[in-house]
Amino acid sequence: KAGVTQTPRYLIKTRGQQVTLSCSPISGHRSVSWYQQTPGQGLQFLFEYFSETQRNKGNFPGRFSGRQFSNSRSEMNVSTLELGDSALYLCASHRVSTGELFFGEGSRLTVL
Amino acid sequence: ELKVEQNPLFLSMQEGKNYTIYCNYSTTSDRLYWYRQDPGKSLESLFVLLSNGAVKQEGRLMASLDTKARLSTLHITAAVHDLSATYFCAVDFTGTASKLTFGTGTRLQVTL
């Protein structure tokens, strides 16, 4: 059974650029959430989408945005990249019946 | 403020020994998650605890939840080197699993 798929796995950008990350949840899961992991701040919630609607949003600036498509795939976008945006971005897919969240392998972003 | 605190932050233990990791949280919740993370990898789901008094066991790991004390424990029995990893607890304060607040993590090192 396919797990949560994130692309790209690694990417390098320079300050001021923008980036788009993609997440395909486990088949049948309609909720997708995004987290940022850094050594200094740990794991922080970015936002969550359910049936194409954003249900929750974390405390991140407006440069961070996301969306979800009708097939439950989700994308997040970071504009005007800063050095501090270097992080591992994790996407999670939610199995409602058991309450479990399953994480993808992540997209590791380096901003130079 | 919604806070999740883990202790210890770092734990070095010998193979064969027992130890407990503690996870305290700041306000009412009856949904708590434990994850394992290996270096450079994503989060692996270990346990989902969905009610007061919940206890789950898998191999040498056992997790419990006391919602009245706002405390969860992850007990390690007869540690082996393969358990070396960072362990995170995460609390769902929304009740919908749409937004998790993570602890700082406990880095476990099991030595021979």
Side-chain angles (χ1 to χ4, degrees), chain A residues 9-10 31 33 35 37 43 45 48 55-58 88 90 94 98-106 108, chain B residues 31 33 35 37 40-48 50 56 88 94 96-104:
Chain A
R9 292 289 313 280
Y10 303 92
S31 169
S33 50
Y35 292 81
Q37 185 176 28
L43 280 150
F45 171 79
E48 186 252 357
R55 286 203 300 191
N56 271 294
K57 188 176 190 302
L88 179 65
L90 294 164
H94 178 207
T98 61
E100 292 175 276
L101 271 76
F102 299 92
F103 284 83
E105 291 296 316
R108 187 169 295 279
Chain B
R31 189 186 289 249
Y33 300 76
Y35 288 93
Q37 187 176 41
K41 302 292 187 180
S42 186
L43 298 171
E44 175 190 352
S45 178
L46 294 175
F47 302 108
V48 182
L50 299 177
K56 290 195 175 179
F88 292 93
T94 69
T96 61
S98 59
K99 176 181 179 180
L100 298 188
T101 301
F102 279 83
T104 50

